[in-house]
Amino acid sequence: MKQDIYDIIIIGGGPAGMYAAFYSGMREMKTKIIEAKHELGGFMRTYPEKLVWDVGGIEPVRCETIIHSLIKQAKTFDPKIVFGQEVVGMKKRNDGIFILTAKTGEKHYTKTIILATGRGITRIQKLTVEGADRYELNNLHYTVTNLNKFKDKRVLISGGGDSAVDWAIELARIAKEVYVVHRRDDFSAFESSVTRMKSVATAFVPYTVFRLHGNGNKIEYVTLQHVDSKETTRIEVDEVLVNHGFDRNFGGAILEWGLDSEEYGISVTPKMCTSMPGIFGAGDIVTNEGKIRLIAGAFNDAVLAVNSAKLYMDPTQSQMAGVSSHNDRFAEKNDELRQKNRNSTYATVSEEEIIGTDVTLS
């Protein structure tokens, strides 16, 4: 049976993996993405309604919109995309070809690998309060999928990181009241966000959620307890949102491949090279001294990783792809877009002429 060998296989379909697929297409590499779940987007799928401000050149936009744009961009050069396969095994043949094995038993063959598994296998850290699980189908939430659920409601948010603070700011625009409960005096979110949050929400620090009180499967009020004095306070609520972070397993079985790693991921050089030649990394799975854990940082990682993979295959190649405005890979696509825009303009003009005629006749 003939083996289909790729130039590059990207493990993970989050922002780093998707942008790597796009950029490897610019570099004319035969590309495959292997995603363990059944959709692209990675960890960004956990906050689809959240407004994202820190992607260069883009106005604040819902995360779900960014995901859709990234998916469309990733498919520009028609990479092979495989869903529902968690990569667990890796071997390197004598001829330099890597063999990746998924949990399903399927094997994939490639000249280079980019690890872009993000935060790896994640599990939400749930509220450790007796009986909390009984409210999960009603008004106890760990993610926000519909903002309207919180409109004109009294919302209590438990957590002190970026997600908790950002959601407090976002929900304050539509909620009746927002309360933020954090077990420490200091929040771990960006300083400017914490300042803004405190101006639109009521913060209880250092407090924890001590007890949930409900009627049936709905929380009606929450008892908070001061960490030091043990004093309690009762807050009436309509919705409770828990943002305690995630238990992370960076890379899952990938960590058993023998790659150098640290507490927060696989170790890479400034050019995204791992300790094993031919394997590169991008996004939250990797770490180095200058690591930037932003979506914008994932894009930069992806470019560096693809360039390194290209040079690994052929050291005589250029250090990077030509910029899109002068890249021949886009010539035909640019012509298609220009023609589409012309047709759209003509259709609009024709419609306006018709409307104009109707108005005149009437």
Side-chain angles (χ1 to χ4, degrees), residues 50-51 53 147 157 161-175 178 180 189-201 241:
K50 197 171 180 179
L51 281 178
W53 288 70
L147 283 174
I157 301 174
D162 288 308
S163 291
V165 171
D166 290 347
W167 277 126
I169 294 169
E170 183 71 15
L171 294 177
R173 299 186 302 107
I174 60 172
V178 175
V180 180
F190 288 114
E191 294 89 341
S192 59
S193 297
V194 173
T195 300
R196 188 177 175 200
M197 178 271 293
K198 289 182 177 179
S199 71
V200 297
L241 175 61

Side-chain angles (χ1 to χ4, degrees), residues 10-23 33-47 63 66-75 81-83 114-120 282-285 294-299 301-302:
I10 302 159
I11 305 176
M18 286 189 283
Y19 197 75
F22 166 72
Y23 192 77
I33 298 176
I34 303 177
E35 168 55 48
K37 296 182 179 178
H38 294 276
E39 59 184 359
L40 297 175
F43 191 73
M44 294 171 71
R45 290 283 183 185
T46 62
Y47 48 92
C63 188
I66 296 178
I67 293 172
H68 292 322
S69 296
L70 282 169
I71 291 173
K72 185 177 180 180
Q73 184 183 48
K75 294 180 177 180
I81 303 176
V82 178
F83 292 109
I114 290 183
L115 303 176
T117 55
R119 305 184 184 205
D284 281 342
I285 180 64
L294 294 172
I295 295 174
F299 298 158
D301 288 354

Side-chain angles (χ1 to χ4, degrees), residues 283-309:
D284 281 342
I285 180 64
V286 301
T287 187
N288 59 18
E289 186 178 354
K291 178 64 184 170
I292 298 174
R293 298 191 182 279
L294 294 172
I295 295 174
F299 298 158
N300 189 64
D301 288 354
V303 170
L304 292 168
V306 170
N307 286 336
S308 292

Side-chain angles (χ1 to χ4, degrees), residues 147-155 171 174-176:
L147 283 174
N148 288 330
K149 175 79 174 176
F150 301 89
K151 185 175 174 59
D152 300 323
K153 301 287 187 64
R154 297 165 298 182
V155 183
L171 294 177
I174 60 172
K176 182 179 180 180

Side-chain angles (χ1 to χ4, degrees), residues 2 71 116 124 225 248 256 265 322 359:
K2 185 179 178 182
I71 291 173
I124 292 174
Q225 185 179 66
R248 304 174 187 175
E256 300 173 5
V359 171

Side-chain angles (χ1 to χ4, degrees), residues 69-207:
S69 296
L70 282 169
I71 291 173
K72 185 177 180 180
Q73 184 183 48
K75 294 180 177 180
T76 301
F77 299 105
D78 301 315
K80 175 74 173 177
I81 303 176
V82 178
F83 292 109
Q85 294 194 31
E86 181 184 343
V87 176
V88 293
M90 179 277 297
K91 288 199 310 183
K92 191 174 186 180
R93 299 192 318 207
N94 291 334
D95 62 358
I97 298 300
F98 291 97
I99 305 173
L100 297 174
T101 305
K103 261 188 178 180
T104 59
E106 187 166 343
K107 296 186 182 301
H108 306 268
Y109 302 85
T110 182
K111 298 174 184 176
T112 64
I113 299 168
I114 290 183
L115 303 176
T117 55
R119 305 184 184 205
I121 300 169
T122 58
R123 184 178 63 185
I124 292 174
Q125 291 185 0
K126 293 194 173 184
L127 188 64
T128 56
V129 174
E130 183 180 354
D133 56 341
R134 81 177 66 151
Y135 303 111
E136 290 180 11
L137 296 179
N138 198 317
N139 64 339
L140 175 62
H141 314 275
Y142 293 97
T143 60
V144 177
T145 57
N146 184 358
L147 283 174
N148 288 330
K149 175 79 174 176
F150 301 89
K151 185 175 174 59
D152 300 323
K153 301 287 187 64
R154 297 165 298 182
V155 183
L156 184 143
I157 301 174
S158 179
D162 288 308
S163 291
V165 171
D166 290 347
W167 277 126
I169 294 169
E170 183 71 15
L171 294 177
R173 299 186 302 107
I174 60 172
K176 182 179 180 180
E177 295 283 348
V178 175
Y179 309 100
V180 180
V181 183
H182 184 38
R183 59 195 174 95
R184 297 191 181 95
D185 289 312
D186 297 324
F187 289 83
S188 58
F190 288 114
E191 294 89 341
S192 59
S193 297
V194 173
T195 300
R196 188 177 175 200
M197 178 271 293
K198 289 182 177 179
S199 71
V200 297
T202 302
F204 288 88
V205 294
Y207 276 86

